[in-house]
Amino acid sequence: MEFLDSFKSELEVVSPGRINLIGEHTDYNMGYVLPTAIEKNITFNFQKNGTTDTCSVYSKTFDTGFEFNLKEVARSEVEWRNYILGVVNEIQKRTNRLQGFDCILESNLPTGSGLSSSAALECGLAFGLNELFNLGLTKLEMVQLSQTAEHTYAGTQCGIMDQFASVMSKEGHVILLDCQSLESNYIPINLYPYKIILLNTKVSHNLATSEYNVRKKECEEGVEIIQRKYPKVRSLRDVTPEILDACKMDLPEVIYKRCSFIIAENKRVLDMTEHLKKNELERVGKLLYEAHEGISSFYEVSCPESDFLVEFSKKYDTVLGARQTGGGFGGCTLNIVHQNGVEAFIKEAFAAYKSKFDIELEPFEVKPTGGTSAKELV
């Protein structure tokens, strides 16, 4: 791409991926989640290019890029471009101050790992363009437009958690986010002497074409049925275990299982918050195992590789708990492991996984970190 030869960055933006300690698939059901940003991220460099309409974006990670015109923004057949184009489209609905720009981005986030590289891409771009052109968007507006971009251009009907965590996180904390009211509280997380170890299964999922949107529809079907007896119910957030039991005979078995998981998962988020405040680490771990059982058996978004790793972790006294994290069907398992047992656990999990699936695990430690940030370079 021609602009690379003369590119001089005016602004650098670092946009992190995220983990969700607990609260899977509760966000689009207007429930509670407990995410945080992590050190793995996408770095963006921006420059104004002096044109009114021409924009160029280049990925160093994949050595590929594309150009587009601000007057002709439309969905692309190339998947990753839609995260960029969707954000630009949403920004232009809100302001006419956007002009031609060039952007170089580089990622150390494993794609398809359940660490929300898509939200990091969306939010980093929105954050950078907001700074570069003084658009006056608030952090919440950038979160919301990034979520809308994922709905309209990428085709994934995601909740707001990923984008919220990517932008709003605070180092050393998880966010207790109410996805209905968008009220949030920072909860300190101190797991010492334990560490958060992610094991990337290397099994990739594409949320836009997977069962993710199907699960959302199944939950909506459950709400519609429950509303016949309980008209005030607006989402599964409003459904208590007692209400669900009263409607059990009206719900198809699969729909009942989906609803049951979401209701139990919301409670686990609130319980986890209290255990973190009291430093009850063994209970934190127990909730992770309970959550994975629900993910696998009730919501059915796990996979043999994730199930194997979670079950494998139960052999170790040094592991408090584990579960699949992310949208599902692969990605990473999240493990809370005593610092003295990390090396042995990783080594033996690597060997067992390689023997079982002939795939090499990618293990790494993560720590709660701050959200998207920018610094001017010129």
Side-chain angles (χ1 to χ4, degrees), residues 38 43 47 67 79 83 112 143 213 217 241 269 292 326 341 369:
I38 57 175
T43 301
Q47 71 173 9
E67 292 186 353
E79 183 187 352
Y83 298 108
V143 165
N213 293 342
K217 289 177 182 177
V269 174
H292 186 79
T369 190

Side-chain angles (χ1 to χ4, degrees), residues 29 215 217-226 229 236 239-265 294 297-300:
N29 286 296
R215 292 299 180 279
K217 289 177 182 177
E218 288 170 338
C219 291
E220 290 168 351
E221 183 181 336
V223 170
E224 288 174 8
I225 293 169
I226 292 167
K229 283 186 177 178
L236 289 180
V239 180
T240 63
E242 293 75 21
I243 289 175
L244 185 64
D245 284 345
C247 298
K248 185 173 182 178
M249 300 306 294
D250 303 319
L251 294 163
E253 183 181 357
V254 168
I255 303 300
Y256 176 80
K257 287 169 69 175
R258 305 297 188 250
C259 296
S260 180
F261 169 76
I262 295 298
I263 293 164
E265 188 77 346
S297 300
F298 282 78
Y299 219 64
E300 297 180 281

Side-chain angles (χ1 to χ4, degrees), residues 74-87 149 153-154:
R75 290 189 75 240
S76 170
E77 293 297 314
V78 181
E79 183 187 352
W80 77 273
R81 295 181 183 181
N82 285 321
Y83 298 108
I84 302 287
L85 295 167
V87 167
Y153 271 56

Side-chain angles (χ1 to χ4, degrees), residues 45-115:
N45 280 277
F46 294 90
Q47 71 173 9
K48 298 175 185 175
N49 61 24
T51 71
T52 306
D53 303 315
T54 304
C55 304
S56 300
V57 179
Y58 173 73
S59 167
K60 289 177 70 174
T61 310
F62 298 106
D63 189 24
T64 186
F66 68 106
E67 292 186 353
F68 63 95
N69 190 298
L70 288 174
K71 291 181 179 177
E72 301 171 358
V73 176
R75 290 189 75 240
S76 170
E77 293 297 314
V78 181
E79 183 187 352
W80 77 273
R81 295 181 183 181
N82 285 321
Y83 298 108
I84 302 287
L85 295 167
V87 167
V88 170
N89 181 57
E90 289 303 317
I91 288 176
Q92 291 196 119
K93 290 179 181 178
R94 291 161 173 80
T95 176
N96 61 3
R97 296 172 68 179
L98 204 57
Q99 295 183 23
F101 66 90
D102 301 323
C103 174
I104 297 175
L105 56 97
E106 187 170 14
S107 175
N108 60 24
L109 269 169
T111 55
S113 60
L115 303 182

Side-chain angles (χ1 to χ4, degrees), residues 16 142 180 246 263 278 289 318 325:
M142 288 185 276
Q180 181 168 274
I263 293 164
K278 298 173 183 176
Y289 281 133
T318 53
T325 186

